[in-house]
Amino acid sequence: GQNIDQPTEMTATEGAIVQINCTYQTSGFNGLFWYQQHAGEAPTFLSYNVLDGLEEKGRFSSFLSRSKGYSYLLLKELQMKDSASYLCAVVDSNYQLIWGAGTKLIIKP
Amino acid sequence: ETGVTQTPRHLVMGMTNKKSLKCEQHLGHNAMYWYKQSAKKPLELMFVYNFKEQTENNSVPSRFSPECPNSSHLFLHLHTLQPEDSALYLCASGRGRETAEAFFGQGTRLTVV
């Protein structure tokens, strides 16, 4: 079966750095997305990785290792507004999005 | 504003009611999706439409009936639902098969009583 694993919940301090991990086992791989979802709002696109390595976009970076079936989202200089759920999704061989259950990130002052 | 609009935002319905959820996208996309999001569970893909044709139906009970009159509009008709159907129902659109990025609406929070 297809499986995406990510931690259910993480807590971090304002101004700090946090890394949210995602491991996957899917039938084929055509890329990996990270989405951010604030409570009661739509998931919004954060990043897309299809090749190994690190993609940096401001305070957020996303890393992919296809051989390890592993990705992480790195958030730097955390702000209170970063409190949200972070969803990992893999594009399988049929170009379907396979979703993780999301990681709820709580930022404390 | 994501370019995908869902109405209503909240809905409470009894198990014998019939209601419909509406989704409209203003992005010129060819694909539209219905997802169910339950607490602490992965997003569940329910239905996929490409160019108004249904291409996926992931074993969804018949009490959920989708309708896609054109590439910009998508409906989810609901009847005789169960309390376990209470969830956030998200509509999304996309450019199509080889570009999997999904653009989401804000969802309808459905409560079945």
Side-chain angles (χ1 to χ4, degrees):
Chain A
Q2 310 209 82
N3 196 47
I4 311 285
D5 284 317
Q6 48 182 135
T8 303
E9 187 173 297
M10 298 182 71
T11 302
T13 304
E14 190 176 15
I17 298 173
V18 71
Q19 178 175 310
I20 302 174
N21 296 325
C22 172
T23 57
Y24 62 88
Q25 294 170 307
T26 56
S27 56
F29 179 85
N30 284 298
L32 185 145
F33 287 93
W34 283 97
Y35 279 78
Q36 180 190 60
Q37 185 179 23
H38 285 100
E41 297 186 13
T44 54
F45 170 84
L46 282 180
S47 68
Y48 174 69
N49 294 67
V50 66
L51 299 176
D52 290 350
L54 188 68
E55 295 277 346
E56 296 185 80
K57 192 186 294 185
R59 294 189 299 113
F60 292 8
S61 303
S62 57
F63 172 83
L64 175 67
S65 169
R66 289 171 296 172
S67 62
K68 295 181 179 178
Y70 168 69
S71 173
Y72 67 73
L73 181 69
L74 190 71
L75 292 76
K76 302 177 185 176
E77 302 169 17
L78 285 170
Q79 301 174 9
M80 298 303 294
K81 67 178 182 179
D82 297 329
S83 293
S85 288
Y86 292 86
L87 311 179
C88 173
V90 171
V91 186
D92 72 3
S93 56
N94 293 319
Y95 290 91
Q96 296 273 25
L97 280 170
I98 310 300
W99 294 86
T103 299
K104 182 178 180 181
L105 178 63
I106 300 168
I107 310 295
K108 296 186 174 179
Chain B
E1 178 57 51
T2 65
V4 181
T5 305
Q6 287 187 245
T7 54
R9 292 291 309 277
H10 301 274
L11 178 63
V12 179
M13 59 186 289
M15 288 189 284
T16 58
N17 291 160
K18 289 184 180 180
K19 297 286 184 183
S20 295
L21 310 185
K22 180 182 176 182
C23 177
E24 184 174 359
Q25 59 100 356
H26 310 277
L27 301 170
H29 291 160
N30 298 317
M32 295 190 78
Y33 312 85
W34 279 117
Y35 281 93
K36 177 182 179 182
Q37 188 175 35
S38 303
K40 300 184 180 180
K41 290 185 178 179
L43 282 169
E44 298 174 47
L45 181 63
M46 300 174 72
F47 301 104
V48 179
Y49 280 82
N50 278 288
F51 295 97
K52 304 189 301 176
E53 299 298 320
Q54 188 180 124
T55 55
E56 294 285 339
N57 175 342
N58 285 348
S59 303
V60 180
S62 59
R63 56 186 184 269
F64 295 92
S65 174
E67 178 189 359
C68 187
N70 54 60
S71 294
S72 299
H73 293 86
L74 185 65
F75 296 89
L76 187 63
H77 303 299
L78 316 171
H79 65 97
T80 59
L81 294 191
Q82 305 298 311
E84 60 264 29
D85 296 323
S86 298
L88 181 68
Y89 288 84
L90 288 164
C91 172
S93 69
R95 295 186 183 92
R97 192 171 159 75
E98 277 75 40
T99 51
E101 183 182 354
F103 296 77
F104 287 89
Q106 290 187 295
T108 296
R109 173 66 63 186
L110 174 67
T111 304
V112 181
V113 297

